[in-house]
Amino acid sequence: MNQYYSAELSQKVKRGMKETRLKGLYQGGGLPYGYRVEQRKVVIDETTADTVRFMYEQYSKGVYVKEIISQLTNKGILYKGKPFAPNTVYGILANEKYSGVYMKDGETVDNIYPQLISTDIYKIVRAKVEQNKFGKRSIKAVYLLRHKVKCGYCGRPISAETGTARNGDIKRYYKCIGRKKDNNGCIKTQIPKDFLEEFVTDSIIQVMTEPKNLDNIVTEIMKRQNKDENGNLKMLTNEKHRIDRALENLVNAIENGIVSNTTNKRLHDLEKQQEQLERQILIERSKTAVKLSESDIRQYYEQALKLETKMLINFLIKEIVLYNDKIEIYFNAPIKQSPDDDNRDFLFYSNYGNLHYKVQNVKTIQNRKMQVEMYIV
């Protein structure tokens, strides 16, 4: 009998909690940081919500949890009188309730927690949290170019490599995964971490702070923006005019008594094409409405150069292709090019630089001449 009453009580409790969820009322238990309860309703606590938003924004840009905690502590933002613990921050970054939607007993709940973090930022952070699980990222060293570099010879990623010298010193490198794990015969040699990162960051800052280079970038992006706008919109408008004429001719034929299954099918197809083209034209015209000015494009790069190094790399660099004697750096553009444009990438800088590197058992620092090419994508 006790077992029966216990099971019955459990069922009643579950039913009660489900009814509470359906009403969008707070069910008790731990309340996530950034929220508070008013009249059994969960609302955003603006006194702490900005801290949560700051954590998500920084982490989405590539700032590590340790650095986020340091920034918060310097601002005097504490958790229960003490600096945030890493586990607390990770718990906040992994809590799906901040997105406004979470799972409970196999059901989706979207009416209890107001959305505190935008969907786009939440997805970026969620992906990063999943990617960094189970020790995938070394906490002992920050690799500025992690997930950005690929081998120019075999196309495989270039990843972090750590070794220990005979004297116990830790040595860190960037090494091609194709050569390291796949044994694919790739000829890409490993490069000491600090030397490569210094070469890349110095090259970026040196080139991007040169007014002439930034002027060339702005001019070329403006040209491509105008080309995309005029070309796509003109093509779609011309195609719609063609469909309109075809529809008009077909309607005239039907009015003159030329009716068959073929004409009906053709009429339906043309109307469908006309509807799709109208939708695409609206999209292209909306792009024109948010067209970036020269000042907007210039500010995009100037503001990026003021960021901390890790954030600068994550924000500005899409990909780095590395050879033994050449490096290609691909920068993000503030506008999205048409996927049908075969010439989206454009070269804005090409020159030679000296990569300093260390050779095992050689005390002096060596120099390697590297061709540096920079592209906007």
Side-chain angles (χ1 to χ4, degrees):
M1 290 295 291
N2 288 340
Q3 186 177 0
Y4 169 78
Y5 284 121
S6 177
E8 185 180 31
L9 179 61
S10 175
Q11 291 296 323
K12 287 181 178 179
V13 170
K14 288 181 179 179
R15 282 197 299 270
M17 293 181 69
K18 185 173 183 179
E19 289 174 2
T20 302
R21 286 201 301 272
L22 292 174
K23 294 176 183 178
L25 301 177
Y26 177 55
Q27 297 177 288
L31 192 66
Y33 184 81
Y35 292 109
R36 57 189 173 86
V37 177
E38 286 185 0
Q39 299 178 347
R40 297 193 67 192
K41 284 279 190 178
V42 178
V43 297
I44 294 176
D45 180 6
E46 292 299 341
T47 60
T48 54
D50 281 343
T51 302
V52 177
R53 295 187 185 106
F54 177 81
M55 291 178 182
Y56 271 81
E57 288 169 0
Q58 294 297 296
Y59 196 78
S60 70
K61 294 175 181 176
V63 181
Y64 295 138
V65 167
K66 184 179 179 181
E67 297 171 35
I68 293 173
I69 293 173
S70 177
Q71 292 182 51
L72 290 173
T73 304
N74 291 337
K75 292 179 180 181
I77 301 174
L78 306 175
Y79 182 72
K80 297 181 180 179
K82 298 180 180 179
F84 279 87
N87 286 342
T88 302
V89 177
Y90 279 117
I92 289 172
L93 295 173
N95 195 330
E96 59 184 346
K97 291 174 182 175
Y98 292 115
S99 69
V101 181
Y102 71 102
M103 298 298 294
K104 179 68 175 179
D105 297 331
E107 296 182 2
T108 301
V109 183
D110 60 3
N111 63 339
I112 294 181
Y113 290 91
Q115 186 172 9
L116 198 154
I117 302 298
S118 73
T119 303
D120 289 341
I121 291 182
Y122 176 77
K123 287 180 178 179
I124 293 171
V125 169
R126 187 76 180 194
K128 286 181 176 290
V129 168
E130 291 296 322
Q131 188 179 56
N132 292 331
K133 273 185 177 181
F134 311 119
K136 289 183 180 178
R137 180 179 67 81
S138 168
I139 61 173
K140 295 182 180 179
V142 175
Y143 283 82
L144 297 178
L145 308 180
R146 183 183 292 272
H147 307 308
K148 295 288 185 180
V149 192
K150 78 173 185 180
C151 177
Y153 298 107
C154 69
R156 298 284 282 136
I158 289 180
S159 66
E161 169 82 358
T162 304
T164 305
R166 291 181 181 179
N167 62 1
D169 290 346
I170 301 296
K171 304 293 184 181
R172 294 186 170 88
Y173 303 89
Y174 283 99
K175 188 172 183 178
C176 174
I177 284 183
R179 179 170 180 166
K180 174 183 174 182
K181 293 184 178 180
D182 302 342
N183 295 318
N184 61 2
C186 182
I187 62 172
K188 180 72 194 78
T189 57
Q190 65 184 17
I191 298 181
K193 167 186 176 297
D194 292 339
F195 292 113
L196 179 61
E197 291 176 352
E198 182 180 358
F199 180 76
V200 170
T201 53
D202 286 353
S203 297
I204 290 171
I205 293 171
Q206 179 184 345
V207 171
M208 296 301 287
T209 53
E210 176 62 43
K212 179 181 68 174
N213 293 327
L214 190 54
D215 288 344
N216 291 339
I217 291 171
V218 172
T219 300
E220 188 63 31
I221 289 178
M222 286 296 294
K223 283 181 183 177
R224 288 168 181 267
Q225 182 176 242
N226 293 333
K227 177 184 175 183
D228 276 353
E229 170 200 336
N230 296 334
N232 289 338
L233 189 56
K234 184 177 180 180
M235 179 188 69
L236 291 170
T237 303
N238 289 340
E239 180 64 12
K240 185 176 179 298
H241 288 330
R242 187 185 70 79
I243 296 297
D244 290 344
R245 287 194 300 271
L247 265 172
E248 184 179 355
N249 293 335
L250 188 59
V251 169
N252 290 335
I254 292 173
E255 288 177 347
N256 291 328
I258 305 174
V259 181
S260 66
N261 291 334
T262 301
T263 54
N264 287 333
K265 183 178 182 303
R266 178 61 175 159
L267 180 65
H268 176 74
D269 290 343
L270 288 173
E271 288 176 338
K272 188 175 180 180
Q273 291 179 49
Q274 185 186 54
E275 182 181 349
Q276 290 175 343
L277 284 167
E278 288 173 348
R279 188 181 300 114
Q280 289 176 304
I281 288 171
L282 284 174
I283 292 173
E284 287 300 319
R285 284 176 177 163
S286 70
K287 290 180 182 178
T288 305
V290 294
K291 177 180 169 183
L292 295 180
S293 66
E294 290 188 17
S295 175
D296 294 330
I297 298 171
R298 189 178 300 276
Q299 189 176 36
Y300 174 86
Y301 292 104
E302 289 176 342
Q303 292 300 318
L305 291 171
K306 297 177 182 179
L307 297 173
E308 178 269 333
T309 307
K310 177 62 178 176
M311 293 172 64
L312 181 149
I313 297 293
N314 282 337
F315 179 80
L316 207 54
I317 305 304
K318 181 177 182 180
E319 184 178 67
I320 296 172
V321 181
L322 191 60
Y323 301 82
N324 289 330
D325 57 357
K326 178 182 176 182
I327 183 169
E328 299 172 356
I329 303 176
Y330 292 84
F331 290 75
N332 291 315
I335 64 170
K336 299 300 179 185
Q337 303 289 340
S338 168
D340 297 325
D341 188 351
D342 294 331
N343 298 308
R344 288 172 290 164
D345 306 348
F346 68 87
L347 175 71
F348 71 90
Y349 178 86
S350 180
N351 210 329
Y352 286 88
N354 290 315
L355 170 65
H356 305 296
Y357 67 102
K358 189 78 171 61
V359 177
Q360 191 173 3
N361 300 325
V362 178
K363 292 184 178 180
T364 58
I365 301 298
Q366 307 295 305
N367 287 316
R368 179 187 299 171
K369 197 170 185 180
M370 295 281 287
Q371 183 180 358
V372 181
E373 292 183 353
M374 297 186 181
Y375 297 81
I376 300 292
V377 296

